[in-house]
Structures are given as structure tokens and as C-alpha cells.
């Protein structure tokens, strides 16, 4: 096994030579053995034939001597045996085995010839022995035996051995020449292929090819062509891998939609720029840009339109800022710009940023054509400077983000520079979000109900109002937590909880025997209203609770008209088709136009308490309240006045045609149990 393994370690060329030599040796051995056996058989057969011939020629002499025993016949037979030089000894016996005559070529010697079978050659020492049956008239009368010399056979073998010894080097020489010739046909092309493969492997030059003659049809040519095809595929695979690596690198550091750097690359640039700014005492600025009302376009026109706008905004930002500045998209509609090496004083940097903001607002104010329609855009921008304001990139980003939220809260379409007191507000806002999530999961939220009455105090319905009582703490005002819920998206689960809880309470009152005309008003956030599945969700809740939609009024604010008006109208019609009544809450404080008001399928207007509060002392408020009531009558809409706290307010509103009132003059908001007692205790406030 070890020898075989060592042989397999040899090169193909040396293996080929060894195999040819082994083959030549085997051929010589086989040829020698075959020739020796063949010559031996031929010599034996020739000797046997010659003895048979002698026996047939002398057979009559043998029979005469055996049968008649004449001395002259013995002499004559001895003479004839001497004539055949090959005969060394001869014995003639009769049928009984009695000796008749014996002959030896050398006088004085006698050799007993013992052969068992007739007509067969037997080799004894240097003699061939042969026995022949003497026949006379068809009967065996005796046996003649011969012993002949085999020296001629030995001479023949010596000549054969010399011939073989002479042929061995000739055969080996021929084998070597044949091996060299065959190597040129089989081994050398393989070696050239192996050399090429080795060179390609060492150089990793997979674009190279094995040179193959087009006319060559040999197996090695086919192998070379297949190898070239393999190299081509490997090269293509490597190119694809490189492209994939480049693409992965790009995905890792660049935004796929806009091609701008992403958060990861931007953070690395920011760390680098901060180090340079600290080392060289240079000031720079970080701008955090959030597009105003971008979600409106996304919801009304779809994500494809939103993506197209984002790409156009990215191109516009490149027009405003320097090539040395880093413009990145963090995700959604948020962009950040890092401007370094602006100046060697913070005041100069602030002045330059003011100029940049004028250019930015100008560029963003231009029309953006999205899916064939023009779209006007504004943005809220938060700005912070470095390195004096922050020590690391995370802190710097947090400051810019905080300033951006301040710009949004200030009315959007503006910018704010970060100030330390902003962070206090931002931290409080973050804590509020954390606490609100806890409140939602731990049941700290509760619904209160404020009755809606006629001018005599009879309860016609109620409005569900959300309250938050912290465990171990006081109540949190809705004015504080509702904006946080809307900005973080928590308004969706909270709003769903409010609707379901209101429906369940309305069901309880219905089963207890409340008047069939009793209506419960529920506030709906614009963010909640514009969800695609809003109508489907509220319909499912109706089915789940068994409440009649005709007993529910959905209160919406004028903010819903900012979005796609037609979508708003369609959704309202779907809700009224289910039996809901739609009320416009806080009317007169928002953005509604009379055109929109006429198109919307409303059932009710609510006069905002800001107009009711001072109508008895402020002529403007009184005129606005009277106008709203008159307009509602002309549009066949019901009117509810909220915030009624004084009798004079009730008198004024009643005189101008308002029939439903809500406020502390009648009832404060109360828990469900208290309202239940009030409803079924038949209490009436006159």
C-alpha cells in the first residue's frame, strides 16, 4: 500500500515512464515463457515423430527378430540402429517382456529404459525415452524402447536465451522511445494545462484562457475548452460577488431611495468632523430637517408619490449646501446636514446658517411636481452648532432633533437653534411618552362623561372625555398628554380603547333602560380618522358590542380638512351610512372654509367654549357665536354649545336658537357610575 501511495505521488510523466518500463518487462517475460514452451513442444513433437518414423521403418525387422530369432537379423538390426545418430540406447522385448536385443551407442554401458505409456516422450536426466508397440499382422508381438539425447534441445535453449538477452535492451529502448512519443501526445498537453492552471491560481487571473486550436478535436482540447468555460463562469461569479459587495457596501452606508448617506455613514462623518473641529478650533453646524405634513401626501397619494417627493427634496438640498457638506436621510421624511469648517467663531457660523436657511426655504417653497400634480412643501428645521454645544455625535444629534421639535411646535415652516432649556422640555416630553405607554398597559386611563342637556337641564346625551390618573399621583391634563400621544402614534391604540370602552358603557346603559334617543359623543383624532382601516375597525366594534350607530355621535375637528378633502368626505359618508352622526367639534377655531362645510356630511356643529366663555362681555365673541348658530340653522345642522358656565350664557344661546348645552353650569364631567345614578335617579336641574 505504501509503495502504491509513493507511486501515486510521482508526476504524470514519471508515472508514464515507469508504467511503460513495467509493461516492457512484462512483455519480455511473457514472450520468453511463451517462446520457451513453444520451442520445447516443437522439439519434443519433432523427436516423437522421428522415433515413430524409425519404428515404422524397422517394425518388420523387429517382428522378424522377435518371431524367428535369427542371429543375422540381430546383427542387421544393430547396424541399422547405429545409422540413427540420435539413438543412445534401444531395447527390444517380446510380448512376454523377455529381452530380445539391447543396443547402446557407447559400448560397455547398459541403460534400462522404463516407459509406462507407448508413443509418449518421457524426459529422464539428459535423455528422452520413448516406447513403441511392435505389431505383426494386427497383433502386438513385442515392444521397442528408445533413449535419445536431448543435447540439441539444450543447445536450442541456449540460443533462445542469448536471443532474449539481446532483445531486452532493444525492447527497453523501444519502450522509452514509445513513452517519449506518447508523452508528447498525452502527457505534455496535460502538463501545459496544469502549468496554465497553476499560473492562473497563483496570479488569480481568472480572465485568462487556455490556448486551444479551433481545429483541435482531441480530448485535451475539449478539456481545455471546458476549463475556459469554467474560468469564464468563475470570472463572472467573482464580478457578481464584487458587485454584491459594492451593493452591500452601498446599502450599509447609503439610503437606497435617495442615494444619500444613511445614518451609519452620517454618524461616522459626524464623529470625524467633531474631532477636526476640536483640533483645529473650527466651528460647524448640524441641521435636522423634518418635512411638514409629509404624511398627508403619503396617505392621500400613496407611498410611490411620497418616495418621488423625497427624491426631489434630496436633489434640492444638494443645490443649497456645499459639496463638502454631508447631506443624509435618516429615514421617513427626516434629513440632516452636517456643515463643517464654516468659520472660526460660533457667531459667524450662526450668521451663515441664517443665510443658508433663507436659501433652503426658497428652494423648498418652489413647486414639486409629483405624479403630474404640484405640491408645495415646508419644513421644520432644528439647528445646533459644534464643538462648543456637544462633545459627541449622539449628543449633537439629540440637540438638533430637540430644536426641530421646537420648530414644529412653534407652528412649522420655521427653524430653531438649540438652547439648553429646550432639552428640559424634550426630556419631559420623552418621560411623558414613557409614562403614557405605562398608563395604557396598566389601566391608568379612564373615561369620564359630561352630560349634554336641553335648556331645562334634561339629559339628552353625553360626551366621553379621556382622563389619566397616575397611580400614586395626580391627574394629567389631556392638553398635556394628547399632543404627545398624537406625535408618537400612541393615539391609535388609545383611540381604539376609547371607542370600545364607550361602546361597552353605552351598551350597559341601553340594557339598563336608558332613553332610546340618548346619544353618546366620542372624540376622534385626525390621525386616527385618516387611518385606512378606521371605518372597518369601528364597524367591527359595533358588531362586537351590539351598539346601534344611531346612538353615537363621532366628533371630529376641523384639522381633518387639511388632508385630502374628497377622501374625508367619502369616509364620512361611509360612517353616516352605518348610522353614525358626525359633529364638527371646536368649530370656528380651525381651518374649515364654508365650501368644505357645505360638502361635508355633518349632522352637528359644536360652538367652541372660547366663544362661549366671554360672549356676555365680548361683543365679538357674541357675534361669532350667533353667526355660527345661524349658519348651522341654514345648513340644517344641530348646534351644541360647550363650556356653558353662567346663566347669562345660557340665555343668550337659547335666544339665538341653540337647543343643546354642555358645561359646568349643568354638570361637570363624571365617572360612568355617577352618570348612571344621574340618568336613572331621574334628577333634573332647573
Amino acid at each position: 500500500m505504501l509503495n502504491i501511495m509513493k507511486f501515486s505521488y510521482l508526476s504524470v510523466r514519471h508515472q508514464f515512464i515507469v508504467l511503460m518500463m513495467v509493461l516492457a518487462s512484462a512483455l519480455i517475460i511473457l514472450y520468453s515463457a511463451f517462446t520457451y514452451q513453444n520451442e520445447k513442444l516443437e522439439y519434443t513433437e519433432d523427436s516423437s515423430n522421428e522415433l515413430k518414423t524409425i519404428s515404422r521403418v524397422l517394425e518388420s525387422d523387429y517382428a522378424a527378430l522377435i518371431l524367428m530369432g535369427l542371429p543375422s537379423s540381430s546383427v542387421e538390426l544393430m547396424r541399422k540402429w547405429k545409422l540413427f545418430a540420435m539413438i543412445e540406447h534401444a531395447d527390444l522385448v517380446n510380448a512376454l517382456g523377455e529381452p530380445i536385443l539391447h543396443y547402446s551407442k557407447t559400448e560397455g554401458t547398459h541403460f534400462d529404459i522404463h516407459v509406462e505409456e507407448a508413443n509418449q516422450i518421457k524426459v529422464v536426466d539428459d535423455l528422452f525415452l520413448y516406447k513403441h508397440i511392435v505389431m505383426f499382422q494386427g497383433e502386438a508381438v513385442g515392444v521397442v524402447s528408445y533413449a535419445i539425447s536431448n543435447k540439441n534441445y539444450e543447445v536450442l535453449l541456449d540460443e533462445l536465451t542469448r536471443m532474449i538477452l539481446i532483445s531486452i535492451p532493444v525492447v527497453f529502448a523501444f519502450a522509452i522511445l514509445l513513452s517519449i512519443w506518447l508523452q508528447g501526445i498525452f502527457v505534455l498537453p496535460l502538463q501545459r494545462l496544469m502549468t496554465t492552471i497553476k499560473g492562473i491560481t497563483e496570479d488569480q487571473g481568472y480572465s485568462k484562457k487556455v490556448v486551444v486550436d479551433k481545429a483541435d478535436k482531441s480530448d485535451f482540447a475539449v478539456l481545455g475548452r471546458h476549463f475556459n468555460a469554467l474560468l469564464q463562469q468563475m470570472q463572472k461569479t467573482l464580478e457578481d460577488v464584487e458587485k454584491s459587495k459594492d451593493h452591500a457596501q452601498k446599502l450599509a452606508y447609503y439610503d437606497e431611495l435617495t442615494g444619500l448617506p444613511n445614518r451609519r455613514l452620517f454618524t461616522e462623518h459626524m464623529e470625524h468632523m467633531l474631532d477636526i473641529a476640536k483640533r483645529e478650533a473650527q466651528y460647524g453646524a448640524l441641521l435636522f430637517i423634518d418635512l411638514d405634513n409629509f404624511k398627508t401626501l403619503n396617505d392621500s397619494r400613496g407611498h410611490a408619490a411620497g418616495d418621488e417627493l423625497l427624491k426631489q427634496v434630496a436633489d434640492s438640498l444638494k443645490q443649497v449646501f456645499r459639496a463638502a457638506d454631508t447631506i443624509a436621510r435618516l429615514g421617513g421624511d427626516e434629513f440632516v446636514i452636517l456643515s463643517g469648517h464654516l468659520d472660526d467663531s460660533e457667531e459667524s457660523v450662526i450668521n451663515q446658517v441664517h443665510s443658508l436657511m433663507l436659501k433652503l426655504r426658497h428652494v423648498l417653497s418652489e413647486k414639486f411636481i409629483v405624479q403630474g400634480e404640484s405640491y408645495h412643501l415646508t419644513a421644520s428645521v432644528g439647528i445646533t452648532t459644534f464643538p462648543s454645544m456637544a462633545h459627541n455625535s449622539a449628543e449633537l444629534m439629540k440637540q438638533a432633533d430637540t430644536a426641530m421639535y421646537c420648530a414644529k411646535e412653534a407652528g412649522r415652516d420655521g427653524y430653531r437653534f438649540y438652547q439648553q432649556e429646550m432639552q428640559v422640555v424634550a426630556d419631559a416630553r420623552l418621560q411623558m411618552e414613557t409614562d403614557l405607554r405605562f398608563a395604557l398597559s396598566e389601566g391608568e386611563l379612564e373615561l369620564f362623561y359630561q352630560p349634554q342637556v336641553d335648556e331645562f337641564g334634561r339629559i339628552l346625551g353625553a360626551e366621553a372625555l379621556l382622563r389619566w390618573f397616575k397611580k400614586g399621583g395626580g391627574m394629567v391634563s389631556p392638553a398635556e398628554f394628547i399632543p404627545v400621544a398624537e406625535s408618537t402614534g400612541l393615539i391609535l391604540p388609545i383611540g381604539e380603547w376609547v371607542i370600545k370602552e364607550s361602546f361597552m358603557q353605552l351598551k350597559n346603559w341601553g340594557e339598563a333602560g336608558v332613553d332610546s334617543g340618548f346619544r353618546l359623543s366620542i372624540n376622534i383624532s385626525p390621525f386616527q380618522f385618516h387611518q385606512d382601516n378606521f371605518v372597518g375597525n369601528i364597524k367591527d366594534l359595533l358588531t362586537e358590542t351590539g351598539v346601534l350607530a344611531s346612538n353615537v355621535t363621532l366628533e371630529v375637528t376641523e384639522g381633518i380638512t387639511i388632508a385630502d378633502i374628497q377622501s374625508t368626505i367619502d369616509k364620512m359618508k361611509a360612517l353616516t351610512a352605518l348610522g353614525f352622526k358626525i359633529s364638527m367639534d371646536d368649530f370656528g377655531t380651525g381651518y374649515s372654509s364654508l365650501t368644505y362645510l357645505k360638502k361635508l356630511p355633518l349632522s352637528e356643529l359644536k360652538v367652541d367654549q372660547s366663544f362661549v366663555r366671554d360672549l356676555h362681555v365680548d361683543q365679538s365673541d357674541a357675534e361669532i357665536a350667533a353667526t355660527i348658530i345661524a349658519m348651522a340653522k341654514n345648513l340644517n345642522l344641530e348646534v351644541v354649545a360647550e363650556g356653558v358656565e353662567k346663566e347669562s350664557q345660557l340665555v343668550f344661546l337659547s335666544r339665538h336658537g341653540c337647543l343643546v348645552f354642555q358645561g359646568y353650569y349643568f354638570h361637570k364631567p363624571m365617572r360612568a357610575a355617577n352618570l348612571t345614578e344621574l340618568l336613572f335617579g331621574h334628577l333634573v336641574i332647573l
Side-chain angles (χ1 to χ4, degrees):
M1 182 67 181
L2 183 61
N3 292 334
I4 293 174
M5 289 180 64
K6 288 181 178 179
F7 175 74
S8 65
Y9 294 163
L10 298 175
S11 66
V12 175
R13 180 185 176 192
H14 289 104
Q15 288 182 15
F16 204 87
I17 292 174
V18 170
L19 287 174
M20 291 300 295
M21 298 302 292
V22 170
L23 180 61
S25 300
L27 288 174
I28 292 172
I29 293 170
L30 290 174
Y31 173 76
S32 300
F34 174 78
T35 303
Y36 172 79
Q37 290 297 328
N38 188 57
E39 290 295 330
K40 179 180 179 181
L41 289 173
E42 286 184 2
Y43 184 81
T44 303
E45 186 175 355
D46 290 344
S47 299
S48 176
N49 291 334
E50 191 171 355
L51 289 172
K52 286 179 181 179
T53 302
I54 293 173
S55 298
R56 282 196 298 271
V57 170
L58 300 178
E59 190 164 22
S60 58
D61 295 326
Y62 296 154
L65 181 58
I66 291 171
L67 294 175
M68 292 182 286
L70 299 175
S72 59
S73 297
S74 298
V75 174
E76 181 63 21
L77 188 56
M78 291 287 285
R79 184 184 66 79
K80 289 180 178 181
W81 276 345
K82 288 180 180 180
L83 293 176
F84 296 101
M86 62 180 300
I87 297 176
E88 294 291 333
H89 304 279
D91 285 331
L92 179 65
V93 297
N94 60 19
L96 299 176
E98 297 172 344
I100 301 299
L101 183 64
H102 174 76
Y103 166 76
S104 292
K105 181 184 288 187
T106 306
E107 294 185 6
T109 63
H110 178 72
F111 181 82
D112 291 328
I113 302 172
H114 298 286
V115 181
E116 289 78 12
E117 297 182 14
N119 302 320
Q120 296 291 330
I121 293 290
K122 179 181 179 181
V123 179
V124 177
D125 297 330
D126 58 346
L127 298 174
F128 286 165
L129 306 182
Y130 182 80
K131 182 171 72 174
H132 177 75
I133 305 299
V134 178
M135 305 295 292
F136 181 77
Q137 294 181 353
E139 293 183 6
V141 295
V143 175
V144 62
S145 301
Y146 307 99
I148 62 175
S149 174
N150 63 359
K151 290 182 178 180
N152 291 336
Y153 174 67
E154 293 177 355
V155 171
L156 181 63
L157 287 180
D158 290 340
E159 291 178 356
L160 178 61
T161 302
R162 283 195 300 273
M163 182 187 71
I164 290 174
L165 291 174
I166 293 172
S167 65
I168 286 175
V170 175
V171 172
F172 274 112
F174 176 75
I176 292 172
L177 293 176
L178 181 62
S179 172
I180 294 172
W181 180 69
L182 291 176
Q183 284 185 50
I185 297 176
F186 299 104
V187 179
L188 290 181
L190 182 60
Q191 285 185 327
R192 284 195 296 268
L193 181 61
M194 291 171 62
T195 302
T196 303
I197 294 173
K198 181 181 178 182
I200 291 172
T201 303
E202 291 176 349
D203 301 338
Q204 295 187 351
Y206 300 107
S207 59
K208 296 179 180 179
K209 288 186 177 181
V210 177
V211 179
V212 179
D213 193 333
K214 291 183 178 180
D216 192 348
K217 304 297 182 182
S218 67
D219 291 338
F220 288 106
V222 173
L223 178 61
R225 293 187 186 99
H226 284 305
F227 185 72
N228 286 338
L230 178 61
L231 287 176
Q232 186 177 3
Q233 186 63 38
M234 287 181 65
Q235 180 65 21
K236 184 178 181 302
T237 301
L238 288 174
E239 291 173 357
D240 291 343
V241 169
E242 286 299 319
K243 288 179 181 178
S244 298
K245 286 172 62 178
D246 293 340
H247 183 62
Q249 183 80 357
K250 189 172 183 180
L251 288 178
Y253 288 100
Y254 291 89
D255 176 52
E256 191 172 6
L257 178 65
T258 62
L260 295 175
N262 61 13
R263 183 186 294 271
R264 181 178 181 182
L265 181 58
F266 184 79
T267 302
E268 291 182 5
H269 283 193
M270 194 159 40
E271 293 283 0
H272 178 65
M273 193 62 67
L274 271 173
D275 289 340
I276 294 176
K278 292 174 184 177
R279 188 169 60 250
E280 299 182 1
Q282 287 284 321
Y283 286 86
L286 174 64
L287 287 72
F288 197 117
I289 301 173
D290 186 90
L291 305 182
D292 296 329
N293 301 316
F294 174 76
K295 189 178 184 303
T296 302
L297 173 69
N298 237 14
D299 292 342
S300 59
R301 295 287 185 265
H303 291 288
D307 290 348
E308 178 60 31
L309 178 61
L310 291 173
K311 288 190 283 188
Q312 293 186 35
V313 169
D315 293 336
S316 298
L317 292 177
K318 294 174 185 177
Q319 299 174 20
V320 176
F321 296 94
R322 306 171 303 175
D325 297 335
T326 301
I327 305 171
R329 177 178 175 238
L330 299 184
D333 60 344
E334 295 180 339
F335 295 85
V336 284
I337 294 94
L338 183 68
S339 291
H341 302 292
L342 288 177
D343 215 313
D344 55 3
S345 73
E346 191 170 19
E347 183 178 355
S348 298
V349 168
I350 293 173
N351 291 333
Q352 290 187 48
V353 170
H354 280 301
S355 300
L356 284 173
M357 289 309 304
L358 291 175
K359 292 173 62 178
L360 177 62
R361 296 183 71 177
H362 173 72
V363 168
L364 293 181
S365 66
E366 296 179 354
K367 291 182 180 179
F368 290 89
I369 306 301
V370 179
Q371 295 183 349
E373 296 184 13
S374 61
Y375 189 83
H376 294 274
L377 187 65
T378 61
S380 300
V381 184
I383 307 162
T384 187
T385 57
F386 60 86
S388 60
M389 295 296 290
H391 300 291
N392 55 62
S393 60
E395 189 177 351
L396 195 65
M397 185 74 80
K398 184 178 179 182
Q399 292 175 357
D401 182 48
T402 300
M404 183 273 293
Y405 272 106
C406 289
K408 273 198 179 299
E409 291 175 351
R412 306 173 189 267
D413 190 20
Y415 61 96
R416 291 288 184 274
F417 282 88
Y418 172 77
Q419 297 174 357
Q420 289 185 353
E421 55 266 25
M422 289 180 177
Q423 194 60 51
V424 176
V425 176
D427 291 342
R429 186 187 188 94
L430 180 60
Q431 186 61 48
M432 175 74 74
E433 178 186 348
T434 303
D435 292 346
L436 189 54
R437 292 183 186 277
F438 179 82
L440 182 60
S441 63
E442 298 299 321
E444 291 184 352
L445 300 179
E446 185 179 355
L447 286 183
F448 273 47
Y449 299 90
Q450 187 172 29
Q452 294 176 342
V453 302
D454 62 12
E455 59 181 318
F456 301 110
R458 289 184 293 246
I459 297 176
L460 306 175
E463 179 183 1
L465 300 170
L466 183 62
R467 295 293 183 262
W468 177 11
F469 295 95
K470 286 189 173 183
K471 293 178 179 179
M475 187 186 82
V476 182
S477 169
E480 294 180 26
F481 71 80
I482 292 298
V484 175
E486 290 181 334
S487 65
T488 58
L490 285 173
I491 196 65
L492 293 179
I494 291 175
E496 185 175 351
W497 178 85
V498 168
I499 294 173
K500 185 173 183 179
E501 191 73 13
S502 300
F503 281 9
M504 292 299 297
Q505 185 58 56
L506 184 59
K507 179 183 179 181
N508 292 337
W509 285 330
E511 292 174 347
V514 76
D515 187 273
S516 60
F518 183 87
R519 289 194 327 206
L520 183 63
S521 296
I522 304 171
N523 291 283
I524 305 298
S525 164
F527 188 64
Q528 184 182 10
F529 181 86
H530 287 299
Q531 295 300 306
D532 293 337
N533 58 352
F534 176 69
V535 176
N537 286 347
I538 203 168
K539 185 177 179 180
D540 292 340
L541 287 173
L542 281 178
T543 303
E544 181 181 342
T545 59
V547 169
L548 296 176
S550 58
N551 292 119
V552 178
T553 298
L554 301 178
E555 293 189 8
V556 296
T557 63
E558 295 176 79
I560 63 169
T561 60
I562 296 176
D564 185 357
I565 185 63
Q566 188 57 51
S567 175
T568 301
I569 293 171
D570 293 341
K571 192 166 290 187
M572 281 187 173
K573 286 182 177 179
L575 292 169
T576 55
L578 292 174
F580 291 105
K581 289 180 174 60
I582 309 295
S583 175
M584 181 68 77
D585 193 16
D586 301 336
F587 184 75
T589 63
Y591 309 94
S592 290
S593 69
L594 294 179
T595 302
Y596 288 169
L597 189 63
K598 183 178 179 181
K599 291 181 178 180
L600 296 173
L602 299 172
S603 302
E604 177 183 281
L605 289 183
K606 292 192 76 173
V607 183
D608 186 66
Q609 60 181 339
S610 64
F611 302 128
V612 174
R613 184 183 304 115
D614 296 325
L615 62 80
H616 61 292
V617 293
D618 190 318
Q619 184 62 29
S620 297
D621 286 346
E623 290 177 355
I624 291 173
T627 301
I628 292 173
I629 295 170
M631 182 174 58
K633 283 184 177 182
N634 291 331
L635 294 173
N636 294 318
L637 300 177
E638 298 177 9
V639 181
V640 177
E642 59 182 359
V644 178
E645 298 179 355
K646 300 179 182 299
E647 183 178 0
S648 58
Q649 296 167 345
L650 172 64
V651 172
F652 178 89
L653 293 168
S654 297
R655 188 171 65 243
H656 283 83
C658 183
L659 302 177
V660 183
F661 310 93
Q662 179 181 339
Y664 279 24
Y665 181 72
F666 297 98
H667 301 285
K668 294 180 179 180
M670 61 189 73
R671 285 187 166 89
N674 299 122
L675 182 54
T676 301
E677 183 180 348
L678 186 63
L679 286 172
F680 300 104
H682 305 290
L683 297 177
V684 178
I685 297 179
L686 298 177

